[in-house]
Amino acid sequence: MSVGHNLTREWLREAYHRTRKDGAVGIDGTTAEMYAAKLEPNLGRLSELARSGRYHAPPVRRGYVPKPGKAERRPIGIPAFEDKVLQRGVGMVLEPIYEQDFLDCSYGFRPGRSAHQALEALWQNIERMNGCWLLEVDIRRFFDTLDHQHLRDILDRRVRDGVIRRLIGKWLKAGVWEKGQVCYPEAGTPQGGCISPMLSNIYLHTVLDEWFENQVKPLLEGSAFLVRFADDFVMGFSRERDARRVMAVLPKRFGKYGLKIHADKTRLVDFRVSARGPGTGSGTFDFLGFTHYWGKSHRGRRVVQRKSAKDRVARTLKRIGQWCRSNRHRPMPEQHRKLNRKLTGHYAFFGITGNYRALNQVYQQTRRLWCKWLRRRTRGHDGMTWDRFCVLTSTCFPLARPRIVHSYAQ
């Protein structure tokens, strides 16, 4: 399919508007503002280089983000801003091609789909089956171990356009810049690049989604479902025998494509309603930042409920505490605005039905952390006291209170 001709100046202008402008800069140090100063000439030059095959993909700058609850950090790649624009443009070309192939079980980084839709689909499937044997799977270092040759073979089935394939090949070989040196990994696609989510969806669509739908489900004795968000996924089975059979064959399936299942983090959960009585369950599991468990609705019916995972709450409070410490000398109105943005952002994702208690915990702890670091910026009798803080936050600087944003019927 010939699609490379779409990378015109007009197409890349739209890609530019869809690209985040506040991200970290790549190895060339060019910011979004610097690039926008000569936007039209830059986009015209970029279009010509991309379509003629003369575009050179610069190495990505290596960065690190902390893993929740762990001392180790996750490596990410930070492309140059112009590289981000071109990656976004290629992603816009590939999107309509693959959207007609992708299955309903996939929710990550797709237009019109979100993490909350994945959570809703998971909830509906478990409720429909009245509980299940749930397989919680973790792929070991997926973005670092994605096999380039297998990816090329998968792309061959739908996209053979020379322009697009050359660009993808250059990004895979671009290398990683760290501490003044460039290394060239033989596998993986760095997290942080705009094209990485699309390539990961294409890869896992073949490795997992199609395989599960077309080869696994017809051989099962009972019903089953799959819910995937990027490289995070869970499988549900009505029968334990089916779940254990799939659990045994998964490492072989992923190994065929150069991927490994994390044995310590992959487990089978008996997530059926326990026979011991209403409101209890046999286990819990985490997915997309929420702990899923059996509880009671207002009418006393046994339902699946969700609350913020403990590590997510701890991570949020740690970040807020660090921010309050580093910014305690800034004016109160500025601190108030920033903290409210952090809280409303937290509520926007975690504000689901049944999770008010965890939201309130974050709210109350944020008040205590803010007061703690305001108190430490002054000494003596004029310092901040809890009573004075309560007056200020109830009159002049009220913090955003918890609210349910996503309402699910129980």
Side-chain angles (χ1 to χ4, degrees):
M1 182 180 294
S2 178
V3 289
H5 64 274
N6 287 308
L7 296 176
T8 61
R9 177 186 299 188
E10 292 72 21
W11 188 274
L12 293 178
R13 186 186 300 117
E14 177 62 25
Y16 164 80
H17 290 304
R18 296 188 187 186
T19 302
R20 283 186 57 182
K21 311 300 189 296
D22 57 349
V25 298
I27 62 171
D28 61 355
T30 301
T31 64
E33 291 77 12
M34 295 166 61
Y35 195 80
K38 297 181 178 180
L39 181 61
E40 291 304 318
N42 285 335
L43 294 179
R45 176 183 52 82
L46 181 60
S47 174
E48 174 62 26
L49 291 175
R51 290 190 290 173
S52 66
R54 294 182 290 115
Y55 179 76
H56 174 71
V60 298
R61 183 167 65 86
R62 175 72 81 196
Y64 292 91
V65 295
K67 287 188 176 182
K70 297 182 180 179
E72 59 181 313
R73 298 179 298 169
R74 176 185 292 111
I76 61 170
I78 305 172
F81 182 78
E82 184 172 69
D83 210 37
K84 293 179 183 178
V85 173
L86 186 55
Q87 288 188 27
R88 180 70 66 188
V90 172
M92 290 163 51
V93 171
L94 294 176
E95 185 178 282
I97 298 174
Y98 281 98
E99 273 300 313
Q100 57 187 319
D101 295 342
F102 289 159
L103 303 181
D104 287 340
C105 61
S106 169
Y107 291 87
F109 306 107
R110 293 181 58 189
R113 290 183 163 237
S114 66
H116 282 280
Q117 289 178 334
L119 291 166
E120 174 72 3
L122 175 60
W123 179 76
Q124 289 180 353
N125 276 295
I126 296 176
E127 287 282 331
R128 174 178 54 83
M129 296 170 64
N130 196 27
C132 63
W133 290 88
L134 189 126
L135 187 55
E136 187 180 4
V137 186
D138 183 88
I139 306 176
R140 185 191 293 269
R141 299 175 60 198
F142 170 71
F143 285 94
D144 297 329
T145 58
L146 186 148
D147 186 89
H148 291 174
Q149 187 55 52
H150 284 303
L151 176 61
R152 294 187 183 97
D153 293 341
I154 293 171
L155 288 170
D156 280 342
R157 304 175 187 179
R158 297 291 275 130
V159 179
R160 296 190 179 184
D161 180 83
V163 172
I164 300 299
R165 294 301 298 275
R166 276 196 300 269
L167 287 172
I168 294 177
K170 289 178 180 180
W171 287 320
L172 294 177
K173 298 178 180 178
V176 177
W177 184 90
E178 184 176 14
K179 297 180 180 179
Q181 295 183 339
V182 179
C183 63
Y184 297 91
E186 297 181 357
T189 171
Q191 296 187 64
C194 302
I195 198 66
S196 292
M198 172 60 72
L199 295 181
S200 68
N201 271 337
I202 294 172
Y203 202 79
L204 287 176
H205 169 72
T206 298
V207 175
L208 178 63
D209 301 352
E210 279 189 331
W211 170 74
F212 185 79
E213 185 67 28
N214 300 329
Q215 299 182 42
V216 173
K217 289 176 70 173
L219 300 177
L220 300 179
E221 299 173 357
S223 58
F225 66 85
L226 165 69
V227 177
R228 180 175 68 82
F229 189 91
D231 61 325
D232 294 327
F233 69 94
V234 292
M235 297 174 169
F237 304 87
S238 61
R239 298 195 178 187
E240 180 182 5
R241 172 180 165 83
D242 289 337
R244 295 198 179 276
R245 287 170 61 197
V246 174
M247 187 177 183
V249 78
L250 262 180
K252 301 176 185 177
R253 174 65 181 180
F254 277 76
K256 179 181 177 181
Y257 289 88
L259 302 175
K260 293 183 179 180
I261 298 296
H262 203 303
D264 296 335
K265 296 181 180 179
T266 299
R267 64 192 186 109
L268 183 61
V269 180
D270 183 359
F271 200 68
R272 300 171 299 169
V273 179
S274 175
R276 293 174 301 204
T280 62
S282 301
T284 65
F285 68 93
D286 289 352
F287 184 60
L288 298 182
F290 290 91
T291 297
H292 296 67
Y293 63 98
W294 285 103
K296 282 185 178 182
S297 69
H298 293 300
R299 298 181 179 181
R301 190 172 71 88
R302 289 167 290 182
V303 295
V304 179
Q305 295 186 335
R306 289 154 296 189
K307 61 183 178 181
S308 302
K310 291 182 179 179
D311 61 337
R312 292 299 187 95
V313 173
R315 190 201 317 181
T316 298
L317 293 175
K318 181 179 180 180
R319 288 178 176 174
I320 289 176
Q322 291 173 341
W323 188 91
C324 289
R325 178 182 181 180
S326 301
N327 297 272
R328 63 186 183 273
H329 294 295
R330 293 184 179 275
M332 282 280 287
E334 180 180 343
Q335 293 188 49
H336 174 246
R337 286 194 303 272
K338 293 287 187 179
L339 285 174
N340 271 346
R341 286 180 60 185
K342 293 179 183 296
L343 286 175
T344 53
H346 183 82
Y347 302 154
F349 185 78
F350 289 98
I352 67 174
T353 302
N355 196 37
Y356 187 86
R357 181 178 297 179
L359 299 182
N360 192 55
Q361 177 187 353
V362 171
Y363 167 74
Q364 297 294 347
Q365 289 297 328
T366 298
R367 296 184 73 230
R368 294 184 178 92
L369 288 168
W370 194 21
C371 181
K372 168 187 173 180
W373 291 109
L374 287 176
R375 184 182 295 126
R376 294 193 180 188
R377 74 175 184 174
T378 55
R379 300 291 183 181
H381 297 293
D382 295 331
M384 181 69 67
T385 64
W386 178 251
D387 290 339
R388 183 184 176 193
F389 176 81
C390 290
V391 171
L392 284 173
T393 53
S394 63
T395 54
C396 302
F397 306 108
L399 288 176
R401 290 188 170 273
R403 67 189 187 95
I404 301 301
V405 179
H406 309 276
S407 180
Y408 295 120
Q410 294 292 317

